[in-house]
mmCIF file of all heavy atoms in Angstrom:
data_model
loop_
_atom_site.group_PDB
_atom_site.id
_atom_site.type_symbol
_atom_site.label_atom_id
_atom_site.label_comp_id
_atom_site.label_asym_id
_atom_site.label_seq_id
_atom_site.Cartn_x
_atom_site.Cartn_y
_atom_site.Cartn_z
ATOM 1 N N ARG A 13 0.498 -0.183 -2.293
ATOM 2 C CA ARG A 13 1.674 -0.965 -1.930
ATOM 3 C C ARG A 13 1.534 -1.446 -0.498
ATOM 4 O O ARG A 13 1.109 -0.688 0.380
ATOM 5 C CB ARG A 13 2.937 -0.127 -2.087
ATOM 6 C CG ARG A 13 4.220 -0.902 -1.798
ATOM 7 C CD ARG A 13 5.439 -0.161 -2.272
ATOM 8 N NE ARG A 13 5.916 0.855 -1.331
ATOM 9 C CZ ARG A 13 5.910 2.146 -1.564
ATOM 10 N NH1 ARG A 13 5.413 2.627 -2.700
ATOM 11 N NH2 ARG A 13 6.372 3.002 -0.678
ATOM 12 N N CYS A 14 1.899 -2.697 -0.265
ATOM 13 C CA CYS A 14 1.841 -3.257 1.085
ATOM 14 C C CYS A 14 3.192 -3.053 1.764
ATOM 15 O O CYS A 14 4.228 -3.451 1.233
ATOM 16 C CB CYS A 14 1.495 -4.742 1.038
ATOM 17 S SG CYS A 14 1.437 -5.523 2.673
ATOM 18 N N LEU A 15 3.180 -2.453 2.919
ATOM 19 C CA LEU A 15 4.414 -2.238 3.678
ATOM 20 C C LEU A 15 4.931 -3.542 4.267
ATOM 21 O O LEU A 15 6.096 -3.642 4.644
ATOM 22 C CB LEU A 15 4.172 -1.225 4.795
ATOM 23 C CG LEU A 15 3.817 0.195 4.330
ATOM 24 C CD1 LEU A 15 3.420 1.057 5.524
ATOM 25 C CD2 LEU A 15 4.968 0.817 3.575
ATOM 26 N N GLY A 16 4.065 -4.541 4.328
ATOM 27 C CA GLY A 16 4.470 -5.828 4.886
ATOM 28 C C GLY A 16 5.203 -6.701 3.890
ATOM 29 O O GLY A 16 6.315 -7.166 4.157
ATOM 30 N N CYS A 17 4.597 -6.902 2.715
ATOM 31 C CA CYS A 17 5.185 -7.821 1.730
ATOM 32 C C CYS A 17 5.701 -7.106 0.485
ATOM 33 O O CYS A 17 6.260 -7.752 -0.409
ATOM 34 C CB CYS A 17 4.182 -8.903 1.345
ATOM 35 S SG CYS A 17 2.726 -8.288 0.462
ATOM 36 N N GLU A 18 5.515 -5.786 0.402
ATOM 37 C CA GLU A 18 6.021 -4.955 -0.696
ATOM 38 C C GLU A 18 5.335 -5.215 -2.032
ATOM 39 O O GLU A 18 5.807 -4.732 -3.072
ATOM 40 C CB GLU A 18 7.540 -5.130 -0.869
ATOM 41 C CG GLU A 18 8.356 -4.583 0.293
ATOM 42 C CD GLU A 18 8.186 -3.072 0.466
ATOM 43 O OE1 GLU A 18 8.100 -2.358 -0.537
ATOM 44 O OE2 GLU A 18 8.138 -2.623 1.620
ATOM 45 N N GLN A 19 4.238 -5.950 -2.043
ATOM 46 C CA GLN A 19 3.506 -6.169 -3.291
ATOM 47 C C GLN A 19 2.807 -4.877 -3.730
ATOM 48 O O GLN A 19 2.230 -4.160 -2.912
ATOM 49 C CB GLN A 19 2.467 -7.285 -3.121
ATOM 50 C CG GLN A 19 3.056 -8.683 -3.026
ATOM 51 C CD GLN A 19 3.623 -9.169 -4.358
ATOM 52 O OE1 GLN A 19 3.235 -8.705 -5.419
ATOM 53 N NE2 GLN A 19 4.548 -10.122 -4.284
ATOM 54 N N ILE A 20 2.863 -4.614 -5.024
ATOM 55 C CA ILE A 20 2.205 -3.447 -5.617
ATOM 56 C C ILE A 20 1.075 -3.941 -6.508
ATOM 57 O O ILE A 20 1.294 -4.761 -7.401
ATOM 58 C CB ILE A 20 3.203 -2.611 -6.442
ATOM 59 C CG1 ILE A 20 4.337 -2.115 -5.542
ATOM 60 C CG2 ILE A 20 2.498 -1.451 -7.124
ATOM 61 C CD1 ILE A 20 5.500 -1.512 -6.316
ATOM 62 N N THR A 21 -0.129 -3.464 -6.251
ATOM 63 C CA THR A 21 -1.298 -3.944 -6.977
ATOM 64 C C THR A 21 -2.208 -2.777 -7.343
ATOM 65 O O THR A 21 -2.118 -1.691 -6.777
ATOM 66 C CB THR A 21 -2.102 -4.958 -6.138
ATOM 67 O OG1 THR A 21 -2.357 -4.393 -4.843
ATOM 68 C CG2 THR A 21 -1.339 -6.263 -5.962
ATOM 69 N N ALA A 22 -3.095 -3.026 -8.291
ATOM 70 C CA ALA A 22 -4.033 -2.000 -8.735
ATOM 71 C C ALA A 22 -5.089 -1.746 -7.667
ATOM 72 O O ALA A 22 -5.451 -2.638 -6.888
ATOM 73 C CB ALA A 22 -4.708 -2.446 -10.030
ATOM 74 N N VAL A 23 -5.583 -0.506 -7.633
ATOM 75 C CA VAL A 23 -6.659 -0.158 -6.706
ATOM 76 C C VAL A 23 -7.549 0.908 -7.340
ATOM 77 O O VAL A 23 -7.053 1.875 -7.922
ATOM 78 C CB VAL A 23 -6.108 0.335 -5.346
ATOM 79 C CG1 VAL A 23 -5.252 1.585 -5.518
ATOM 80 C CG2 VAL A 23 -7.242 0.595 -4.368
ATOM 81 N N THR A 24 -8.835 0.689 -7.266
ATOM 82 C CA THR A 24 -9.809 1.681 -7.722
ATOM 83 C C THR A 24 -10.779 2.056 -6.612
ATOM 84 O O THR A 24 -11.432 3.091 -6.681
ATOM 85 C CB THR A 24 -10.608 1.174 -8.940
ATOM 86 O OG1 THR A 24 -11.204 -0.090 -8.619
ATOM 87 C CG2 THR A 24 -9.698 1.009 -10.157
ATOM 88 N N ASP A 25 -10.885 1.210 -5.588
ATOM 89 C CA ASP A 25 -11.767 1.487 -4.457
ATOM 90 C C ASP A 25 -11.026 2.286 -3.388
ATOM 91 O O ASP A 25 -9.815 2.496 -3.466
ATOM 92 C CB ASP A 25 -12.284 0.176 -3.850
ATOM 93 C CG ASP A 25 -13.134 -0.621 -4.829
ATOM 94 O OD1 ASP A 25 -13.837 0.024 -5.642
ATOM 95 O OD2 ASP A 25 -13.079 -1.856 -4.796
ATOM 96 N N ASP A 26 -11.756 2.690 -2.360
ATOM 97 C CA ASP A 26 -11.145 3.406 -1.243
ATOM 98 C C ASP A 26 -10.237 2.479 -0.435
ATOM 99 O O ASP A 26 -10.487 1.273 -0.337
ATOM 100 C CB ASP A 26 -12.228 3.952 -0.310
ATOM 101 C CG ASP A 26 -12.970 5.140 -0.908
ATOM 102 O OD1 ASP A 26 -12.580 5.589 -2.011
ATOM 103 O OD2 ASP A 26 -13.933 5.605 -0.282
ATOM 104 N N LEU A 27 -9.192 3.043 0.142
ATOM 105 C CA LEU A 27 -8.329 2.333 1.077
ATOM 106 C C LEU A 27 -8.568 2.879 2.479
ATOM 107 O O LEU A 27 -8.967 4.029 2.654
ATOM 108 C CB LEU A 27 -6.852 2.525 0.716
ATOM 109 C CG LEU A 27 -6.341 1.862 -0.561
ATOM 110 C CD1 LEU A 27 -4.889 2.259 -0.811
ATOM 111 C CD2 LEU A 27 -6.486 0.357 -0.486
ATOM 112 N N SER A 28 -8.310 2.043 3.483
ATOM 113 C CA SER A 28 -8.420 2.469 4.881
ATOM 114 C C SER A 28 -7.458 1.644 5.710
ATOM 115 O O SER A 28 -6.801 0.718 5.200
ATOM 116 C CB SER A 28 -9.855 2.270 5.393
ATOM 117 O OG SER A 28 -10.132 0.893 5.609
ATOM 118 N N VAL A 29 -7.367 1.951 6.990
ATOM 119 C CA VAL A 29 -6.491 1.173 7.873
ATOM 120 C C VAL A 29 -7.015 -0.244 8.040
ATOM 121 O O VAL A 29 -6.271 -1.132 8.481
ATOM 122 C CB VAL A 29 -6.352 1.864 9.248
ATOM 123 C CG1 VAL A 29 -5.560 3.152 9.124
ATOM 124 C CG2 VAL A 29 -7.721 2.120 9.878
ATOM 125 N N GLU A 30 -8.276 -0.475 7.698
ATOM 126 C CA GLU A 30 -8.840 -1.828 7.789
ATOM 127 C C GLU A 30 -8.644 -2.650 6.521
ATOM 128 O O GLU A 30 -8.944 -3.845 6.502
ATOM 129 C CB GLU A 30 -10.344 -1.754 8.106
ATOM 130 C CG GLU A 30 -10.689 -1.386 9.541
ATOM 131 C CD GLU A 30 -10.629 0.123 9.754
ATOM 132 O OE1 GLU A 30 -10.917 0.875 8.788
ATOM 133 O OE2 GLU A 30 -10.280 0.553 10.868
ATOM 134 N N SER A 31 -8.149 -2.029 5.455
ATOM 135 C CA SER A 31 -7.965 -2.748 4.194
ATOM 136 C C SER A 31 -6.972 -3.889 4.365
ATOM 137 O O SER A 31 -5.960 -3.751 5.058
ATOM 138 C CB SER A 31 -7.459 -1.792 3.111
ATOM 139 O OG SER A 31 -8.411 -0.785 2.833
ATOM 140 N N VAL A 32 -7.274 -5.011 3.732
ATOM 141 C CA VAL A 32 -6.471 -6.228 3.874
ATOM 142 C C VAL A 32 -5.659 -6.471 2.605
ATOM 143 O O VAL A 32 -6.180 -6.400 1.496
ATOM 144 C CB VAL A 32 -7.367 -7.453 4.147
ATOM 145 C CG1 VAL A 32 -6.522 -8.732 4.270
ATOM 146 C CG2 VAL A 32 -8.195 -7.238 5.410
ATOM 147 N N CYS A 33 -4.382 -6.765 2.777
ATOM 148 C CA CYS A 33 -3.526 -7.107 1.640
ATOM 149 C C CYS A 33 -3.908 -8.484 1.119
ATOM 150 O O CYS A 33 -3.939 -9.454 1.889
ATOM 151 C CB CYS A 33 -2.057 -7.095 2.060
ATOM 152 S SG CYS A 33 -0.927 -7.668 0.756
ATOM 153 N N GLU A 34 -4.189 -8.598 -0.158
ATOM 154 C CA GLU A 34 -4.602 -9.878 -0.727
ATOM 155 C C GLU A 34 -3.463 -10.880 -0.837
ATOM 156 O O GLU A 34 -3.694 -12.056 -1.115
ATOM 157 C CB GLU A 34 -5.255 -9.687 -2.095
ATOM 158 C CG GLU A 34 -4.405 -9.000 -3.138
ATOM 159 C CD GLU A 34 -4.709 -7.511 -3.266
ATOM 160 O OE1 GLU A 34 -4.725 -6.813 -2.245
ATOM 161 O OE2 GLU A 34 -4.909 -7.060 -4.409
ATOM 162 N N TYR A 35 -2.217 -10.420 -0.602
ATOM 163 C CA TYR A 35 -1.078 -11.324 -0.684
ATOM 164 C C TYR A 35 -0.668 -11.874 0.681
ATOM 165 O O TYR A 35 -0.426 -13.071 0.831
ATOM 166 C CB TYR A 35 0.117 -10.627 -1.346
ATOM 167 C CG TYR A 35 -0.028 -10.522 -2.843
ATOM 168 C CD1 TYR A 35 -0.660 -9.434 -3.423
ATOM 169 C CD2 TYR A 35 0.446 -11.524 -3.685
ATOM 170 C CE1 TYR A 35 -0.807 -9.336 -4.797
ATOM 171 C CE2 TYR A 35 0.313 -11.436 -5.066
ATOM 172 C CZ TYR A 35 -0.321 -10.342 -5.604
ATOM 173 O OH TYR A 35 -0.473 -10.253 -6.964
ATOM 174 N N CYS A 36 -0.539 -10.999 1.686
ATOM 175 C CA CYS A 36 -0.063 -11.464 2.990
ATOM 176 C C CYS A 36 -1.143 -11.402 4.072
ATOM 177 O O CYS A 36 -0.877 -11.754 5.231
ATOM 178 C CB CYS A 36 1.169 -10.683 3.423
ATOM 179 S SG CYS A 36 0.867 -8.927 3.739
ATOM 180 N N ASN A 37 -2.338 -10.939 3.699
ATOM 181 C CA ASN A 37 -3.496 -10.892 4.603
ATOM 182 C C ASN A 37 -3.307 -9.978 5.815
ATOM 183 O O ASN A 37 -4.055 -10.087 6.793
ATOM 184 C CB ASN A 37 -3.867 -12.309 5.089
ATOM 185 C CG ASN A 37 -4.360 -13.187 3.962
ATOM 186 O OD1 ASN A 37 -5.149 -12.749 3.135
ATOM 187 N ND2 ASN A 37 -3.867 -14.423 3.911
ATOM 188 N N SER A 38 -2.331 -9.087 5.748
ATOM 189 C CA SER A 38 -2.141 -8.166 6.864
ATOM 190 C C SER A 38 -3.091 -6.972 6.724
ATOM 191 O O SER A 38 -3.554 -6.639 5.637
ATOM 192 C CB SER A 38 -0.696 -7.673 6.914
ATOM 193 O OG SER A 38 -0.371 -6.974 5.711
ATOM 194 N N THR A 39 -3.375 -6.319 7.857
ATOM 195 C CA THR A 39 -4.173 -5.103 7.841
ATOM 196 C C THR A 39 -3.294 -3.932 8.292
ATOM 197 O O THR A 39 -2.219 -4.128 8.856
ATOM 198 C CB THR A 39 -5.382 -5.219 8.777
ATOM 199 O OG1 THR A 39 -4.923 -5.529 10.097
ATOM 200 C CG2 THR A 39 -6.340 -6.296 8.303
ATOM 201 N N ALA A 40 -3.770 -2.730 8.020
ATOM 202 C CA ALA A 40 -3.061 -1.493 8.393
ATOM 203 C C ALA A 40 -1.672 -1.413 7.764
ATOM 204 O O ALA A 40 -0.794 -0.717 8.277
ATOM 205 C CB ALA A 40 -2.960 -1.369 9.909
ATOM 206 N N GLN A 41 -1.465 -2.122 6.645
ATOM 207 C CA GLN A 41 -0.163 -2.122 5.973
ATOM 208 C C GLN A 41 -0.222 -1.545 4.562
ATOM 209 O O GLN A 41 0.816 -1.304 3.952
ATOM 210 C CB GLN A 41 0.400 -3.552 5.906
ATOM 211 C CG GLN A 41 0.774 -4.157 7.254
ATOM 212 C CD GLN A 41 1.972 -3.459 7.862
ATOM 213 O OE1 GLN A 41 3.022 -3.334 7.245
ATOM 214 N NE2 GLN A 41 1.820 -2.967 9.080
ATOM 215 N N LEU A 42 -1.410 -1.318 4.052
ATOM 216 C CA LEU A 42 -1.541 -0.824 2.689
ATOM 217 C C LEU A 42 -1.455 0.704 2.656
ATOM 218 O O LEU A 42 -2.038 1.389 3.497
ATOM 219 C CB LEU A 42 -2.875 -1.273 2.089
ATOM 220 C CG LEU A 42 -3.011 -2.769 1.814
ATOM 221 C CD1 LEU A 42 -4.406 -3.091 1.332
ATOM 222 C CD2 LEU A 42 -1.977 -3.241 0.791
ATOM 223 N N ARG A 43 -0.723 1.222 1.681
ATOM 224 C CA ARG A 43 -0.579 2.660 1.509
ATOM 225 C C ARG A 43 -0.690 2.985 0.020
ATOM 226 O O ARG A 43 -0.471 2.105 -0.828
ATOM 227 C CB ARG A 43 0.757 3.163 2.036
ATOM 228 C CG ARG A 43 1.970 2.499 1.409
ATOM 229 C CD ARG A 43 3.251 3.282 1.632
ATOM 230 N NE ARG A 43 3.384 4.397 0.678
ATOM 231 C CZ ARG A 43 4.421 5.221 0.631
ATOM 232 N NH1 ARG A 43 5.425 5.072 1.480
ATOM 233 N NH2 ARG A 43 4.481 6.194 -0.247
ATOM 234 N N PRO A 44 -1.017 4.215 -0.313
ATOM 235 C CA PRO A 44 -1.001 4.593 -1.733
ATOM 236 C C PRO A 44 0.410 4.420 -2.305
ATOM 237 O O PRO A 44 1.398 4.675 -1.622
ATOM 238 C CB PRO A 44 -1.410 6.074 -1.707
ATOM 239 C CG PRO A 44 -2.116 6.259 -0.401
ATOM 240 C CD PRO A 44 -1.449 5.329 0.555
ATOM 241 N N HIS A 45 0.483 3.982 -3.558
ATOM 242 C CA HIS A 45 1.787 3.812 -4.217
ATOM 243 C C HIS A 45 2.232 5.157 -4.780
ATOM 244 O O HIS A 45 2.317 5.380 -5.985
ATOM 245 C CB HIS A 45 1.685 2.766 -5.322
ATOM 246 C CG HIS A 45 2.999 2.447 -5.972
ATOM 247 N ND1 HIS A 45 4.137 2.177 -5.252
ATOM 248 C CD2 HIS A 45 3.364 2.364 -7.285
ATOM 249 C CE1 HIS A 45 5.142 1.941 -6.081
ATOM 250 N NE2 HIS A 45 4.693 2.057 -7.315
ATOM 251 N N ILE A 46 2.495 6.078 -3.864
ATOM 252 C CA ILE A 46 2.862 7.446 -4.182
ATOM 253 C C ILE A 46 4.216 7.748 -3.549
ATOM 254 O O ILE A 46 4.475 7.349 -2.413
ATOM 255 C CB ILE A 46 1.821 8.452 -3.626
ATOM 256 C CG1 ILE A 46 0.410 8.108 -4.109
ATOM 257 C CG2 ILE A 46 2.204 9.879 -4.005
ATOM 258 C CD1 ILE A 46 0.209 8.213 -5.588
ATOM 259 N N VAL A 47 5.070 8.437 -4.288
ATOM 260 C CA VAL A 47 6.344 8.880 -3.733
ATOM 261 C C VAL A 47 6.109 10.157 -2.956
ATOM 262 O O VAL A 47 5.717 11.180 -3.527
ATOM 263 C CB VAL A 47 7.388 9.114 -4.841
ATOM 264 C CG1 VAL A 47 8.683 9.677 -4.248
ATOM 265 C CG2 VAL A 47 7.672 7.813 -5.584
ATOM 266 N N TRP A 48 6.311 10.091 -1.649
ATOM 267 C CA TRP A 48 6.096 11.250 -0.785
ATOM 268 C C TRP A 48 7.404 12.006 -0.571
ATOM 269 O O TRP A 48 8.490 11.521 -0.904
ATOM 270 C CB TRP A 48 5.521 10.781 0.554
ATOM 271 C CG TRP A 48 4.098 10.317 0.463
ATOM 272 C CD1 TRP A 48 3.127 10.798 -0.362
ATOM 273 C CD2 TRP A 48 3.480 9.270 1.231
ATOM 274 N NE1 TRP A 48 1.944 10.125 -0.146
ATOM 275 C CE2 TRP A 48 2.131 9.189 0.824
ATOM 276 C CE3 TRP A 48 3.932 8.408 2.239
ATOM 277 C CZ2 TRP A 48 1.235 8.282 1.380
ATOM 278 C CZ3 TRP A 48 3.042 7.504 2.792
ATOM 279 C CH2 TRP A 48 1.709 7.436 2.366
ATOM 280 N N PHE A 49 7.299 13.190 0.007
ATOM 281 C CA PHE A 49 8.488 13.983 0.314
ATOM 282 C C PHE A 49 9.402 13.188 1.249
ATOM 283 O O PHE A 49 8.952 12.595 2.221
ATOM 284 C CB PHE A 49 8.087 15.316 0.952
ATOM 285 C CG PHE A 49 7.510 16.284 -0.036
ATOM 286 C CD1 PHE A 49 6.145 16.373 -0.231
ATOM 287 C CD2 PHE A 49 8.345 17.089 -0.802
ATOM 288 C CE1 PHE A 49 5.598 17.258 -1.156
ATOM 289 C CE2 PHE A 49 7.821 17.975 -1.737
ATOM 290 C CZ PHE A 49 6.446 18.056 -1.912
ATOM 291 N N GLY A 50 10.688 13.179 0.900
ATOM 292 C CA GLY A 50 11.654 12.420 1.671
ATOM 293 C C GLY A 50 11.897 11.029 1.132
ATOM 294 O O GLY A 50 12.783 10.329 1.621
ATOM 295 N N GLU A 51 11.119 10.623 0.098
ATOM 296 C CA GLU A 51 11.289 9.302 -0.502
ATOM 297 C C GLU A 51 11.932 9.431 -1.886
ATOM 298 O O GLU A 51 11.813 10.450 -2.552
ATOM 299 C CB GLU A 51 9.938 8.592 -0.605
ATOM 300 C CG GLU A 51 9.296 8.310 0.741
ATOM 301 C CD GLU A 51 7.969 7.588 0.637
ATOM 302 O OE1 GLU A 51 7.229 7.824 -0.341
ATOM 303 O OE2 GLU A 51 7.664 6.798 1.538
ATOM 304 N N MET A 52 12.592 8.363 -2.310
ATOM 305 C CA MET A 52 13.296 8.369 -3.590
ATOM 306 C C MET A 52 12.325 8.140 -4.747
ATOM 307 O O MET A 52 11.538 7.201 -4.707
ATOM 308 C CB MET A 52 14.366 7.260 -3.597
ATOM 309 C CG MET A 52 15.156 7.181 -4.891
ATOM 310 S SD MET A 52 16.183 8.648 -5.179
ATOM 311 C CE MET A 52 17.376 8.478 -3.843
ATOM 312 N N PRO A 53 12.365 8.990 -5.780
ATOM 313 C CA PRO A 53 11.538 8.750 -6.968
ATOM 314 C C PRO A 53 11.833 7.386 -7.580
ATOM 315 O O PRO A 53 12.919 6.826 -7.388
ATOM 316 C CB PRO A 53 11.943 9.884 -7.910
ATOM 317 C CG PRO A 53 12.389 10.977 -6.990
ATOM 318 C CD PRO A 53 13.086 10.270 -5.853
#
């Protein structure tokens, strides 16, 4: 999931802070689409 544009897309490769969002072209904005502690299911 991109924290910048909120797009959710499939991923099979590794992610890093250098990964680029294919929708908004931002970097350091992609995170695993996982519900973490403190977040709403």
